[in-house]
Amino acid sequence: AESDWVFELVAESYEVKEPMNARISKARKPGTIVSTVSSGLSIARLAQAFDADGQKHYFGTHFFNPPYKMILCELVSHKGSDPKITKELGAYLDSKLHRAVVYTNDTPAFAGNRIGFQLMNEIAQYAEKYADKGGLALMDEIMGGYTGRAMGPLATVDFVGLDVHKAIVDNLYEQTKDSAHETFKLPGYMQKLIDAGSLGAKSGQGLFKRTKSADGKREKFVYNIQTGNYDPYPKFDIPFAKEAKQRIASSDYAGAMNVIKEAQGFEAELCRYFMARYISYSLSIVGEVVETKENADVAMGFGFNWVPASAFVDFLGGVNEAKKFLEKSKVEIPQVLAKAKPTGHFYELG
């Protein structure tokens, strides 16, 4: 009752959070802020446990994990939130807790997870589609660090946990109806692994498995979607990826993007499609989920450690070149890009 801010981080389900909110509601004093660390549940629904004053002071504060490395916090307001309190809480998160604050609307999975899990799950779907060409390992090699991420997208799924991944994409598949709807459908092999208790790194194996040999040598294995076995992680020779990495190592980012744009072959086409999809979907949530493209950029830069979509627009040569890149990959050109000025930097933080 004496608290100025009640910070709830119990399990990610209404069945657990709603009874907890009922208890908090009975104890909180007027003016006390209450926030949840939900990664995608309805903030408006969770706020219903409170009286009118409590609803004004109720928010989502989605800290990204691990919070000592990932400084993003999505501050989620709902229709009943007090704009003045939203602003004050955002300032506190920024100045006192040193967070990169992204203001998001009360939409499924908010900003970071909606963008990130869209790409990761679609890549997981393609791993099944091309299981005979390299499957999971091939997809992570195609979308490796040279495409702007610290960890391969499927390695990220394995790190997060297949059960957590399922909870997020199932919620998005059920609650959203946008152009990416079908890309949120969980692949069958992931459900099979979950049913077997193979949840990823935290359970010892999932999409990948790491072991130590008798002589202490570390070995990496990858799940074979076709056989259900774990195979030694294969080596790939993808020349354009190798050249792009070399360009990046010398800080020639535009040159690396030119290599990707001009490369021939199956792997290059997939790489361009996924990059185009990421740029398109990141910018498409502006208006519905976030008010500005900068909020989407901050979400991906500080929440996932991925190069933001707007930065890719500049690396590709600017607005007009980025539009051509998306058109060739047959993905939608979002309104914020379609209406952008063709000159100047598209990526801005401030």
Side-chain angles (χ1 to χ4, degrees), residues 271-324:
C271 180
R272 285 191 290 269
Y273 169 73
F274 288 132
M275 285 181 62
R277 170 68 102 169
Y278 168 64
I279 295 166
S280 172
Y281 198 66
S282 292
L283 298 176
S284 76
I285 71 165
V286 176
E288 178 196 357
V289 181
V290 293
E291 297 306 315
T292 68
K293 64 181 175 62
E294 284 73 31
N295 274 308
D297 289 339
V298 170
M300 300 318 296
F302 293 112
F304 277 74
N305 205 10
W306 290 4
V307 171
S310 295
F312 271 124
V313 171
D314 288 341
F315 290 147
L316 287 166
V319 169
N320 287 340
E321 284 298 313
K323 286 180 186 176
K324 292 177 187 175

Side-chain angles (χ1 to χ4, degrees), residues 1-64:
E2 73 280 3
S3 300
D4 297 313
W5 180 10
V6 178
F7 184 74
E8 170 270 303
L9 53 147
V10 298
E12 179 75 350
S13 78
Y14 292 116
E15 290 72 21
V16 179
K17 287 184 183 291
E18 287 178 329
M20 180 61 71
N21 276 355
R23 292 172 62 188
I24 295 169
S25 178
K26 291 176 183 176
R28 75 173 283 277
K29 65 184 178 185
T32 292
I33 292 170
V34 181
S35 73
T36 177
V37 193
S38 171
S39 61
L41 299 178
S42 168
I43 303 304
R45 173 174 167 174
L46 292 170
Q48 290 174 6
F50 299 91
D51 61 17
D53 180 77
Q55 291 188 29
K56 284 182 182 178
H57 290 80
Y58 191 81
F59 300 91
T61 46
H62 180 209
F63 288 77
F64 273 58

Side-chain angles (χ1 to χ4, degrees), residues 252-266:
D252 182 10
Y253 305 115
M257 293 303 104
N258 284 334
V259 168
I260 292 169
K261 283 196 287 185
E262 295 167 8
Q264 301 296 310
F266 166 73

Side-chain angles (χ1 to χ4, degrees), residues 314-342:
D314 288 341
F315 290 147
L316 287 166
V319 169
N320 287 340
E321 284 298 313
K323 286 180 186 176
K324 292 177 187 175
F325 185 79
L326 268 59
E327 284 175 348
K328 286 180 180 178
S329 298
K330 295 182 173 60
V331 301
E332 181 182 354
I333 297 176
Q335 284 296 307
V336 69
L337 184 60
K339 294 179 179 179
K341 294 178 181 178

Side-chain angles (χ1 to χ4, degrees), residues 151-166:
M151 184 186 292
L154 297 178
T156 303
V157 172
D158 214 54
F159 176 77
V160 167
L162 273 63
D163 52 340
V164 175
H165 179 88
K166 172 183 166 60

